[in-house]
């Protein structure tokens, strides 16, 4: 079935959302822009959008197949995918296995230290406030999510972590941490939460299990080289890029 791209609904830092001919789906377009530090560092990196489109398709499809519901419906082309439209809960849900990034900075925990168990954190999605860390109590007080939803969010976050850790360790990648966004599905009656947005090296920290080489957005944040080379390496470990796509992104 051909899907018509109707109207641009939203343009963010990394993606553009378009409406389709129906009320339950959206087209998600992946841009080549890379941003970090709340868009203070910005660059166009040719091929990044294509790589994240394929990588997010791969991770979300795998999650769908083990009944962790995501918004992913199907990939439409090199840069676009059809996704289920949902009501985004305004939280960035972060799961950490190893200390890095803002956790290391905030609490002085040495980067690379394995945590005794996976840590789930919530950040309020608001660029003007720099996405502050928030407590469960704040989430309930300000009604960003109900207590039932919070329970479900924990479950989705931890199941996603378990599944992705296994998938990645099979190709010698360590899932240090990641961020997901969760939305309320409009399609089903009653409560149904789904993973939305993207899962890619832009939203995860991925280290080579042996050498600890970074293969994620930290390469860009820390000026450690080319993210298109790093992201292609992640895709290659799963052999997921068609030949013509692989030659176009490198
Ligand atoms: P930002 O808004 O932080 O600049 P992006 O450029 O990635 O980030 O924009 C994508 C936007 O689309 C995000 O605000 C995200 O919450 C929203 N989004 C992602 N998936 C869906 C979906 N299935 N339904 C509705 N909104 C979505
Ligand atoms: N993350 C993200 N988007 C954000 C903030 C964080 O995808 O707006 C991801 C980030 O890539 C990392 C994890 O969430 O995989 C934890 O990020 P952290 O809190 O350490 O923040 P950062 O170091 O990115 O400021």
């Amino acid at each position: 079935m051909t899907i018509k791209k109707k109207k641009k609904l939203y343009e963010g830092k990394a993606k553009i959302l378009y409406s389709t001919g129906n009320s339950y789906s959206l087209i998600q377009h992946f841009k080549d822009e890379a941003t970090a530090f709340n868009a203070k560092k910005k660059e166009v990196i040719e091929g990044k959008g294509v790589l994240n489109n394929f990588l997010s398709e791969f991770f979300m499809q795998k999650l769908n197949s083990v009944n962790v519901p995501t918004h992913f419906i199907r990939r439409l082309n090199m840069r676009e995918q059809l996704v289920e439209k949902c009501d985004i809960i305004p939280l960035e849900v972060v799961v950490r296995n190893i200390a890095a990034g803002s956790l290391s900075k905030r609490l002085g925990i040495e980067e690379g230290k394995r945590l005794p168990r996976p840590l789930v954190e919530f950040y309020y999605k608001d660029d003007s406030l720099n996405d502050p860390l928030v407590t469960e109590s704040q989430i309930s007080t300000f009604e960003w999510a109900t207590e039932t939803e919070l329970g479900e969010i924990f479950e989705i976050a931890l199941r996603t972590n378990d599944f992705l850790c296994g998938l990645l360790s099979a190709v010698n990648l360590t899932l240090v941490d990641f961020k997901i966004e969760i939305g309320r599905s409009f399609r089903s009656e009653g409560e149904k939460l789904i993973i939305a947005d993207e899962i890619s090296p832009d939203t995860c920290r991925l280290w080579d299990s042996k050498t600890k080489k970074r293969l994620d957005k930290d390469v860009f944040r820390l000026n450690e080289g080319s993210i298109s080379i790093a992201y292609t390496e992640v895709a290659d470990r799963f052999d997921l890029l068609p030949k013509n796509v692989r030659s176009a992104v490198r």
Side-chain angles (χ1 to χ4, degrees):
M1 192 177 59
T2 37
I3 293 287
K4 284 215 178 81
K5 193 147 100 184
K6 296 272 181 177
K7 211 170 77 200
K8 191 198 262 196
L9 299 174
Y10 175 81
E11 176 157 3
K13 297 185 289 293
K15 299 186 286 296
I16 306 174
L17 298 179
Y18 296 93
S19 62
T20 61
N22 63 54
S23 59
Y24 63 83
S25 69
L26 293 173
I27 291 173
Q28 183 166 249
H29 173 108
F30 287 76
K31 307 200 293 185
D32 280 343
E33 270 90 347
T35 62
F37 314 117
N38 205 359
K40 283 183 200 89
K41 181 174 163 73
K42 245 195 243 177
E43 215 175 292
V44 172
I45 293 163
E46 217 175 303
K48 185 184 89 109
V50 173
L51 286 161
N52 281 349
N53 187 25
F54 276 84
L55 281 157
S56 198
E57 171 191 17
F58 175 73
F59 292 125
M60 296 239 183
Q61 225 168 25
K62 290 278 182 197
L63 284 164
N64 282 343
S65 76
V66 292
N67 293 322
V68 178
T70 80
H71 72 163
F72 181 80
I73 302 173
R74 69 185 160 92
R75 188 168 51 74
L76 298 172
N77 55 48
M78 299 264 276
R79 287 182 179 278
E80 292 174 333
Q81 47 183 248
L82 187 69
V83 299
E84 180 181 341
K85 184 174 167 180
C86 61
D87 173 27
I88 297 282
I89 292 178
L91 297 172
E92 303 208 326
V93 181
V94 169
V95 183
R96 303 178 185 271
N97 298 300
I98 290 176
S102 71
L103 178 75
S104 292
K105 277 196 210 99
R106 195 178 320 109
L107 301 181
I109 302 172
E110 191 192 344
E111 182 170 277
K113 191 174 164 44
R114 183 160 280 280
L115 304 175
R117 60 192 173 96
L119 174 67
V120 181
E121 296 177 335
F122 301 102
Y123 294 82
Y124 181 52
K125 233 172 94 64
D126 186 333
D127 282 345
S128 69
L129 300 173
N130 258 324
D131 298 342
L133 180 69
V134 291
T135 63
E136 284 170 56
S137 193
Q138 286 170 331
I139 294 170
S140 300
T141 300
F142 299 115
E143 297 182 345
W144 295 321
T146 65
E147 283 183 25
T148 314
E149 284 174 335
L150 253 184
E152 236 186 283
I153 291 171
F154 265 105
E155 200 185 310
I156 292 174
L158 292 172
R159 281 178 67 202
T160 301
N161 185 49
D162 272 358
F163 180 75
L164 291 181
C165 278
L167 185 71
L168 290 156
S169 78
V171 295
N172 285 317
L173 289 172
T174 301
L175 181 60
V176 173
D177 57 32
F178 65 94
K179 181 266 302 187
I180 48 175
E181 292 186 25
I182 289 180
R184 302 178 182 98
S185 167
F186 295 113
R187 278 223 270 195
S188 52
E189 306 265 311
E191 300 279 300
K192 191 184 176 205
L193 299 182
I194 59 175
I195 298 180
D197 203 55
E198 70 177 287
I199 300 178
S200 74
D202 265 9
T203 60
C204 302
R205 282 195 171 90
L206 302 172
W207 293 353
D208 179 88
S209 304
K210 288 204 187 87
T211 64
K212 310 283 182 256
K213 182 170 79 160
R214 300 176 202 276
L215 292 167
D216 57 57
K217 200 160 124 183
D218 273 350
V219 169
F220 171 71
R221 293 189 187 99
L222 306 171
N223 296 315
E224 281 187 355
S226 149
I227 60 172
S228 54
I229 292 178
Y231 292 15
T232 304
E233 182 167 344
V234 175
D236 281 351
R237 291 202 188 188
F238 294 105
D239 198 16
L240 61 83
L241 299 175
K243 269 208 184 85
N244 61 328
V245 174
R246 197 184 182 288
S247 51
V249 293
R250 286 293 301 275

